[in-house]
Amino acid sequence: MVARWVMGVALGAVVATGAVAQGYKPGIGPSPGYQQPPGYAPPPNSGVVPFPGKPPPGGVPYGGQPGGPGPEQQAGVCTPQERELIENSFREAHRITAESLRQLEQNPELPQFRRFFGTAPHEQVRNTLRLTADWLRERRPASIACNHPNNCPQGRFAYASTQTTAMGFCTLFFNGQDTGFDSRAGVIIHEVTHVAARTRDIVYSPRNAMALAKSNPADAAVNADNYEYFIEAVRDNWNQ
């Protein structure tokens, strides 16, 4: 069976057919008013927009990347440290997804809901959150790759197969933050919404997600980034 790969943290938009997927999500800075520590600066002429708060790729060595454990590290194989970080991020992703659902059920007028979903039907959003939280609680990817050289060009956070549930994680994920937009848990939430709820990638970045909520709430209710950023905004008590 041919796998459909949804690429990127929010990069599911580039959908390729076959075992090796092409395309990546460029880093896009967060919306005005949401401050993260300065950090990631891509090489000149790389075509990648600087993403605040991300350390330079290669700043922390991980398996399969230059400066990593060395040539004996098989391409795409995760180190024990990487697997531990991924598992901890999955657990945190479940915690904050379940918490955002709990808060939304208690208070349908959450300001973060209007920011990222506008006038979209509450029940549709709650159902996607439930599916995502259930998947995160009960399941894990069929397989996990780390920094696979064929699937992790600069600028990509992660990718997932909606058919097999296999996922891969790249340097930007490992060098990510615990809070803020596009945190490690948020990256996982984005990918899991594709697998668990078949979300799409219509727009990327907090700025574009909020604009979509205003212009087309129906699309916002099926866009993966809108769910990721809604959950992260609830976690961080962000509403600007």
Side-chain angles (χ1 to χ4, degrees):
M1 180 180 295
V2 176
R4 289 173 57 82
W5 287 90
V6 178
M7 303 308 302
V9 136
L11 214 231
V14 182
V15 177
T17 303
V20 179
Q22 303 296 323
Y24 66 93
K25 173 186 185 278
I28 302 172
S31 299
Y34 193 94
Q35 298 298 319
Q36 289 180 296
Y40 172 54
N45 304 317
S46 66
V48 179
V49 179
F51 192 105
K54 304 292 185 183
V60 178
Y62 283 97
Q65 292 290 90
E72 70 277 4
Q73 175 70 42
Q74 184 178 351
V77 174
C78 303
T79 66
Q81 294 84 355
E82 288 168 336
R83 284 195 169 275
E84 181 179 9
L85 183 60
I86 291 168
E87 176 58 26
N88 289 341
S89 298
F90 265 97
R91 292 176 181 175
E92 175 66 3
H94 171 255
R95 186 190 71 79
I96 63 176
T97 301
E99 175 61 17
S100 69
L101 176 59
R102 184 191 69 80
Q103 290 195 34
L104 183 59
E105 289 176 335
Q106 289 186 345
N107 178 17
E109 301 305 318
L110 272 180
Q112 293 91 345
F113 183 94
R114 186 163 295 275
R115 285 287 188 186
F116 289 102
F117 297 109
T119 59
H122 276 69
E123 183 53 36
Q124 180 182 0
V125 173
R126 288 196 299 267
N127 185 57
T128 296
L129 291 173
R130 288 189 198 102
L131 290 170
T132 302
D134 288 348
W135 201 100
L136 285 164
R137 182 183 68 248
E138 300 168 359
R139 301 184 61 181
R140 289 294 181 267
S143 64
I144 294 176
C146 293
N147 292 313
H148 196 290
N150 292 338
N151 293 333
C152 285
Q154 184 166 349
R156 181 173 297 164
F157 292 82
Y159 52 95
S161 167
T162 57
Q163 289 187 354
T164 69
T165 76
M167 295 185 187
F169 298 92
C170 305
T171 297
L172 285 182
F173 169 84
F174 293 112
N175 287 350
Q177 306 292 316
D178 292 327
T179 59
F181 291 139
D182 288 325
S183 61
R184 283 187 293 264
V187 171
I188 286 175
I189 289 165
H190 177 105
E191 300 302 342
V192 171
T193 65
H194 286 311
V195 173
R198 295 300 190 266
T199 58
R200 297 158 54 197
D201 288 283
I202 299 168
V203 301
Y204 314 108
S205 86
R207 184 195 303 271
N208 291 337
M210 287 188 286
L212 185 66
K214 291 181 179 179
S215 65
N216 195 331
D219 279 354
V222 296
N223 189 58
D225 260 7
N226 286 69
Y227 286 93
E228 176 193 340
Y229 298 140
F230 166 73
I231 293 168
E232 290 173 323
V234 170
R235 175 197 60 197
D236 298 341
N237 195 28
W238 182 86
N239 179 37
Q240 298 186 26

